[in-house]
Amino acid sequence: MKLSASDAAELFDVDESTVYRWIEERGLPADRIAGRTLLNRAALLEWATENQVAISARVFRPAESGAEKLPSFAQALAAGGVHHAVPGTTREDVLRGAVDRLPLPEGSDAEDLLAVLLARETSFSTAIGNGIAIPHVRMPIVFDVDEAIVSLSFLERPVDFGAADGKPVTTLFTMVTPTVHGHLHLLAALAYLLRDEAFLAGVKAAAPAEVMLARATEVELRGA
């Protein structure tokens, strides 16, 4: 999904000149197409998370009447679960462990999902720094699921994901959604949550599921 500089400015709660400055000075990914500056929404959200740039709390506001109903991050996390001590010593090991723990509907091809995630890691690491990775693809794939699913996996041991900050990964957020729009909404919500001190502290401490769910719910309700 492509965004204009104006769309990006609204998402970040800044003016357009700041967006252009980030493109020039901080490596915000953008393309010039037919004289227009366009940004890939997924790439933009990855950049924001890696660079600790705040996302507007408007991401949690209900969709306008008639628009697609956006998934609740807290509800998606409750559906996907929080998993501790996920084993593995390589990217493939831990990604397989995370995919195996996703409550996919009967008949879903978990191996296909794993293959797509591994292909993405081969081309570009999904590690965002601070020991966190968000396995997903730039052009989101969707699955035949009724509701969005977010799984939080705390790894048994750190694994090298080739993160820009050089830190091994200890935490994975994996998501499956029924629509592209829903996938991008959850990415934006996660980018916002990872700027919340209490939520991030819970991630770093591998907190129990009830702690992570309670904080996600609190932040989401506050922003709505």
Side-chain angles (χ1 to χ4, degrees):
M1 183 179 294
K2 293 292 186 180
L3 301 178
S4 67
S6 176
D7 294 331
E10 184 175 354
L11 184 63
F12 289 128
D13 255 344
V14 298
D15 55 43
E16 282 188 55
S17 63
T18 299
V19 172
Y20 287 117
R21 178 168 55 80
W22 286 344
I23 292 171
E24 293 296 324
E25 299 178 4
R26 300 186 62 182
L28 174 60
D31 298 308
R32 290 287 293 176
I33 301 175
R36 298 182 63 204
T37 297
L38 297 176
L39 304 93
N40 178 286
R41 186 180 177 95
L44 178 149
L45 293 169
E46 288 180 354
W47 176 89
T49 309
E50 291 169 4
N51 289 272
Q52 300 184 23
V53 174
I55 299 290
S56 170
R58 285 195 295 271
V59 69
F60 293 114
R61 293 180 184 173
E64 296 178 2
S65 178
E68 175 188 334
K69 182 182 178 182
L70 297 174
S72 156
F73 187 92
Q75 289 176 7
L77 183 59
V82 177
H83 310 281
H84 291 78
V86 175
T89 57
T90 67
R91 292 192 213 186
E92 182 171 356
D93 287 345
V94 296
L95 286 173
R96 182 178 293 280
V99 170
D100 285 345
R101 286 161 176 75
L102 286 170
L104 298 175
E106 185 176 350
S108 296
D109 194 339
E111 285 297 320
D112 185 51
L113 174 59
L114 176 62
V116 172
L117 295 179
L118 287 171
R120 168 64 199 277
E121 292 298 335
T122 299
S123 61
F124 192 91
S125 174
T126 59
I128 61 168
N130 287 318
I132 301 169
I134 310 174
H136 76 104
V137 291
R138 283 271 169 88
M139 297 299 292
I141 57 172
V142 298
F143 270 65
D144 186 17
V145 291
D146 293 329
E147 301 290 343
I149 301 168
V150 175
S151 176
L152 170 55
S153 300
F154 294 117
L155 306 185
E156 188 175 58
R157 58 180 59 83
V159 173
D160 181 16
F161 265 63
D165 66 357
K167 295 180 180 179
V169 164
T170 57
T171 305
L172 301 177
F173 285 93
T174 314
M175 56 186 69
V176 175
T177 55
T179 69
V180 171
H181 193 191
H183 178 96
L184 294 172
H185 170 76
L186 288 177
L187 274 180
L190 180 54
Y192 186 91
L193 281 164
L194 290 174
R195 293 278 295 167
D196 177 78
E197 290 185 4
F199 186 84
L200 184 57
V203 170
K204 291 180 177 179
E210 58 269 23
V211 173
M212 300 307 303
L213 288 168
R215 187 56 185 173
T217 300
E218 182 178 346
V219 173
E220 196 163 40
L221 290 174
R222 186 181 67 202

